[in-house]
Amino acid sequence: MKIADIDQLKIGTLLPSPKGVALALLEACQREDVTINEITKLIQTDPALSGRLIQRANATNQRSRAISSVFEAVPHVGLTVVKQLAMGFSLIDQYQKGTCKGFDYQEFWSHSLLMAIAMQELGKTTRVSAPDELFACGLMMRIGCLALATIYPDKYTELIAKQSPGITLNELEQQYLQTDHNELTAAMLINFGVPRIFVEPIYYHETPTESGFSEGSRPYQIVHLLYLAKQIADFGLAEESERNQRISELILFGGRIGLDTETFGAFIDQIMQAWHAWGKILKLPGVELLPPFDKMMNATAPRTENATDAASLRILLVEDDPTSLILAKELLSKVLGHTVFTASDGQQALALAMDILPHIVVTDWMMPVMNGLELTRSLRATEWGQNLYIIMLTGIEDEEEVIKAFDAGVDDYVTKPINIRAFRARLRAAWHYRKLQDSWDHDREQLKRFAAELAVTNRRLEYFALTDMLTELPNRRSGMETLAEVWSVANRSNQSMAVMLLDIDHFKVVNDTHGHAIGDKVLKQVAASIRKIARKGDTFCRMGGEEFLVVCQPGNIELKSLVQFAERLRQHINTQQIVIDELHIKISISIGIALKEAGMQSEDQLVNAADKALYAAKNAGRNRVFLAINNKLIATPTAPINPADKI
């Protein structure tokens, strides 16, 4: 990762920066002794920021009661995220327009907001990090573009005009400005105090394969989510024709994160609805609600007239004049070889069309009951009618009237009296469109099946990657990911947490005496017992060998109840008789408990403390529970426990 040297570039005073309460908040958070109470009071002086923060907190609130005050919102979101959101919202308010003529400020913020919403929802799906943290990352991950447009308005206008498929924006920025938006984004985020675990993936969000992150690692997962969020944002702001081209790629991305086409479509719709709602909150114009993803995915193929052949088609001919009807039917069926159905007015034709589902509708314009334009509009209002090719027969050649026909949904028109060569050419175009539509539908169906298969495969791979195949408990990798997530939540919400390490006593003796096959069966039965007695919300995993980890959810849990749960688990295993064929095996477990304490800097220190408590239990004779608290190792249940103590 290359970080822009702001001092060397001499741009420090020119960078976009927050003002007012957001600036005061940034300065306050740089003090080590700042309290949540101070931050809360500071935020309350800005009603707009207060309202937005409460809405952000409720977007990820899983409790039954809504968050209604800043005092509740700040601990829920966490100080780091509060600071990032305040900066982002402040910059949105300040930079909705600027001096760079080639830079679309409002589109930039609409795109950034959509990336933020996408990251939030992806975070809920993948649990790689807290959704609020990912929202802030999405909102700020292209802030370098705004910075370059602000610092170099004329040069940036010039280089934006020179963008082409053959040269990237980064390359142009380096060529003109000796830095690029990713380098500058990284520098700004570090200055803003954004954790490096997010800054580095943000730097590589356009080219994840260049990051060098280990596959499956947290930075690896974050950078690929950022890449997908950008693809979703690009899709959301693309023109309709370009969206059709992007849909196939998006569906495949959905499969890679384990979502089949239908589920992914609902996922995209949810993102777009949230984007639309937040666009109103932040007063961003141009944030338009897109059609449902399923409707966009099933859109009709592009129409074209590059046709050279015409096979037999199912044609609905609508004509109120009997003589014209007979002549046109003879031409279509006997001369041109198509299957023809007839109707004498639009209402009759509409009912017949629903029955026969024609490929092409050839309709007169002026008819009683329902004319040709009304029929066209009615057909286009149906889902299946979107795919029809409609040719209008008319004696009118007035330009305004012809435009009116095309606006109603007509694909082509033929003037009366009918010229056979011209009519044949129109039908060739219709046939070619029909062939293209069939191919389009076939490709979409194949893509849906492939995406569904890919989603199933990836869910299975994820299950295998995160599950211990012997015990069917989460494996070490899954457990450590959960531990990191719970640690992050506990830090942001200023709560405590606890972990327990369990180890089967004398398990080596079981393997040496009865063999590893029996040992494996013992492990499976112990795991089943653990699952049976586990508390709701706690996460059990097999760390390896005969050792298991329990990650206790942060919250207002009494220390006494935690110790009692550990004792209940120990006694449950100790009183069991494990029966395997004719063998009766009695086992016990030792447990080490550790609480998150003020001096601990990482989750690894918490696990190390539990490990020390576990070894103390082993050294004290096994089949017992030890607690690590206040740098002491205490045997339970004889340890004096104050019921008011919390974890």
Side-chain angles (χ1 to χ4, degrees), residues 573-644:
I573 299 294
N574 189 51
T575 56
Q576 271 193 317
Q577 281 279 350
I578 295 179
V579 180
I580 302 171
D581 298 329
E582 296 180 356
L583 288 173
H584 291 256
I585 301 173
K586 184 175 174 61
I587 62 166
S588 63
I589 60 172
S590 298
I591 302 176
I593 307 172
L595 308 179
K596 180 179 181 290
E597 297 180 4
M600 292 180 177
Q601 299 299 313
S602 70
E603 60 267 34
D604 291 337
Q605 290 181 301
L606 179 62
V607 174
N608 288 340
D611 196 43
K612 290 177 182 177
L614 174 62
Y615 274 93
K618 292 281 190 183
N619 292 334
R622 295 180 170 82
N623 191 23
R624 61 197 64 212
V625 177
F626 262 68
L627 170 68
I629 185 169
N630 298 327
N631 293 319
K632 295 179 181 179
L633 299 173
I634 304 172
T636 65
T638 56
I641 298 174
N642 182 355

Side-chain angles (χ1 to χ4, degrees), residues 196-261:
R196 204 174 181 89
I197 187 70
F198 297 118
V199 174
E200 200 163 355
I202 286 172
Y203 178 84
Y204 289 108
H205 78 274
E206 294 171 346
T207 53
T209 54
E210 295 179 8
S211 66
F213 297 139
S214 300
E215 186 171 351
S217 66
R218 192 176 176 214
Y220 177 92
Q221 295 179 68
I222 292 172
V223 74
H224 281 84
L225 291 187
L226 290 166
Y227 179 78
L228 176 52
K230 183 178 181 298
Q231 303 309 308
I232 292 172
D234 290 346
F235 169 79
L237 271 79
E239 296 293 333
E240 184 177 354
S241 58
E242 189 182 347
R243 281 203 303 267
N244 289 335
Q245 297 170 13
R246 291 179 177 272
I247 279 180
S248 299
E249 187 179 5
L250 270 187
I251 291 172
L252 292 180
F253 277 127
R256 288 173 193 161
I257 61 171
L259 302 178
D260 58 33
T261 305

Side-chain angles (χ1 to χ4, degrees), residues 145-290:
C145 293
L146 175 68
L148 291 174
T150 303
I151 300 164
Y152 309 107
D154 295 333
K155 285 186 178 179
Y156 211 62
T157 295
E158 186 179 345
L159 72 85
I160 286 174
K162 292 194 175 184
Q163 282 189 97
S164 68
I167 184 167
T168 66
L169 180 60
N170 281 38
E171 291 169 336
L172 286 167
E173 289 168 345
Q174 287 288 353
Q175 179 182 331
Y176 277 73
L177 308 172
Q178 290 73 57
T179 188
D180 62 53
H181 62 270
N182 288 324
E183 292 179 4
L184 198 50
T185 294
M188 292 176 69
L189 294 183
I190 289 172
N191 284 349
F192 289 158
V194 176
R196 204 174 181 89
I197 187 70
F198 297 118
V199 174
E200 200 163 355
I202 286 172
Y203 178 84
Y204 289 108
H205 78 274
E206 294 171 346
T207 53
T209 54
E210 295 179 8
S211 66
F213 297 139
S214 300
E215 186 171 351
S217 66
R218 192 176 176 214
Y220 177 92
Q221 295 179 68
I222 292 172
V223 74
H224 281 84
L225 291 187
L226 290 166
Y227 179 78
L228 176 52
K230 183 178 181 298
Q231 303 309 308
I232 292 172
D234 290 346
F235 169 79
L237 271 79
E239 296 293 333
E240 184 177 354
S241 58
E242 189 182 347
R243 281 203 303 267
N244 289 335
Q245 297 170 13
R246 291 179 177 272
I247 279 180
S248 299
E249 187 179 5
L250 270 187
I251 291 172
L252 292 180
F253 277 127
R256 288 173 193 161
I257 61 171
L259 302 178
D260 58 33
T261 305
E262 184 177 349
T263 307
F264 185 67
F267 177 74
I268 294 294
D269 290 343
Q270 184 176 343
I271 289 172
M272 296 304 168
Q273 288 165 6
W275 178 49
H276 187 247
W278 269 93
K280 290 183 177 179
I281 293 169
L282 297 175
K283 299 177 182 177
L284 288 175
V287 178
E288 298 179 0
L289 191 59
L290 299 184

